[in-house]
Amino acid sequence: MTTTKPIAKTPQTRVERYVTNLSDPVRRAECQGLLEMFARVTDLPAAIWGTSKVGYGRYKYELEGGFKSEFMMTGFEPGKRWLTVYLSPDYEDFAEVLARVGKHERHKSCIRIKALKDVDLGALEELVKLGLASTARNYQTSEL
């Protein structure tokens, strides 16, 4: 009689644990889908920024007065009311793609979505790609 050992479960990353532990099952499922989309689009590792943002890559910026900092190139934040998708900080003219995204609120460098079912995921993916390219053109960027 041959015995087999169970295959060890692959340990989850901090990001995967964060998404898995979201209390709202709908928001959790949306974020699991976004993890897949962002991994495919960015080809960058995910990291937690602050306490609740899932980010990909980083860019350096300087504000008037000399304040320097870094932020994620793109990513998302699952809130109770909104799912925020972070795009390019300089927000080039993405009007045509934004018009195809569907229901959203536009803010300075992000859009807020109440539910992923209300948006065109193909247009959202295109928007993330445009934002990444814009950030890479206009800022010093890195993988982590």
Side-chain angles (χ1 to χ4, degrees):
M1 178 172 166
T2 306
T3 59
T4 58
K5 294 181 182 178
I7 297 173
K9 184 177 179 185
T10 304
Q12 289 184 319
T13 66
R14 184 173 176 218
V15 172
E16 291 166 334
R17 281 193 312 270
Y18 169 69
V19 169
T20 300
N21 290 323
L22 291 171
S23 60
D24 179 345
V26 172
R27 189 65 83 210
R28 183 173 48 247
E30 289 174 331
C31 290
Q32 287 168 336
L34 286 176
L35 284 176
E36 293 172 14
M37 182 197 67
F38 275 91
R40 183 176 61 253
V41 170
T42 68
D43 199 30
L44 296 167
I48 298 291
W49 285 74
T51 59
S52 59
K53 294 175 183 70
V54 176
Y56 299 82
R58 67 176 58 229
Y59 71 95
K60 294 180 180 184
Y61 65 93
E62 184 174 345
L63 300 175
E64 290 182 30
F67 176 78
K68 295 179 182 179
S69 192
E70 296 181 335
F71 196 60
M72 60 186 162
M73 290 175 66
T74 191
F76 63 92
E77 181 175 14
K80 290 193 183 296
R81 291 190 54 194
W82 299 99
L83 184 59
T84 303
V85 176
Y86 293 92
L87 303 165
S88 175
D90 48 308
Y91 226 113
E92 292 181 12
D93 185 13
F94 303 146
E96 186 272 326
V97 179
L98 282 165
R100 290 188 285 120
V101 166
K103 293 181 185 180
H104 71 278
E105 284 187 8
R106 181 178 170 178
H107 293 266
K108 184 175 179 177
S109 62
C110 65
I111 60 171
R112 289 187 175 164
I113 301 164
K114 286 199 178 199
L116 273 187
K117 66 179 178 58
D118 296 335
V119 299
D120 177 324
L121 295 178
L124 182 62
E125 187 170 318
E126 185 177 345
L127 191 59
V128 170
K129 287 178 185 177
L130 289 170
L132 273 173
S134 174
T135 303
R137 270 193 307 277
N138 297 302
Y139 294 89
Q140 180 184 348
T141 62
S142 63
E143 184 174 302
L144 284 177

